[in-house]
Amino acid sequence: MRAVRALARASRVLERSSADLHLAHYRVLAAIASGDERASRVAQRLALGRPAISAAVDTLTKRGLLIRGDVDGDHRATALSLTPQGEQVLAETETQMVTRVADLAARTPDPDRLLQALGWLGEAIDEAVAERKAGR
């Protein structure tokens, strides 16, 4: 239970580390920057419904952080890419988040191991998402 509560609190710490970007919008930009250019893939990766991803994409596009485009060979799909401003906001947000996480990790008995374990958690999430996707 302590781990669950700590993760919930950590998400709030991350969200507060950036005045420019909400955590949900950060997740969308980060997914696109990682190579998920189709809105449907971003929604799938982040376990969001189409209305939620559409609303996030609309907001990020209006802010000038994303550009919508066509996908070659698929007129129904939308390709998403970060604008230079989107790349800058993402980089600044990640720098602020890394600083906050490093500060918190430094307050633990084994900062390096904590950061390694968080990386493992991310890999486990990716694996679980892939398994769920394969089971569909």
Side-chain angles (χ1 to χ4, degrees):
M1 185 60 67
R2 286 180 57 209
V4 170
R5 290 179 180 170
L7 284 171
R9 291 175 63 206
S11 70
R12 187 67 181 139
V13 168
L14 288 176
E15 187 164 48
R16 286 184 176 170
S17 66
S18 171
D20 292 335
L21 206 56
H22 295 289
L23 192 56
H25 291 168
Y26 164 76
R27 292 174 59 218
V28 171
L29 290 181
I32 295 165
S34 295
D36 289 326
E37 69 170 18
R38 288 185 182 207
S40 59
R41 287 187 189 147
V42 172
Q44 206 170 45
R45 179 179 178 151
L46 301 179
L48 295 172
R50 289 179 193 235
I53 195 69
S54 293
V57 167
D58 286 345
T59 299
L60 292 167
T61 300
K62 287 177 186 172
R63 286 188 59 194
L65 305 179
L66 282 182
I67 298 173
R68 288 183 173 112
D70 296 327
V71 175
D72 292 336
D74 188 349
H75 299 292
R76 297 176 299 153
T78 301
L80 302 170
S81 59
L82 275 64
T83 64
Q85 182 184 359
E87 291 174 358
Q88 179 180 350
V89 167
L90 179 62
E92 289 170 358
T93 298
E94 289 182 328
T95 297
Q96 293 165 357
M97 289 177 168
V98 166
T99 299
R100 291 297 300 261
V101 170
D103 177 59
L104 291 173
R107 298 167 187 267
T108 68
D110 193 343
D112 292 335
R113 187 139 188 215
L114 173 65
L115 295 174
Q116 184 179 35
L118 289 172
W120 292 336
L121 182 60
E123 292 167 8
I125 292 168
D126 290 342
E127 185 178 311
V129 168
E131 286 174 2
R132 188 178 72 236
K133 183 178 172 184
R136 287 186 182 173

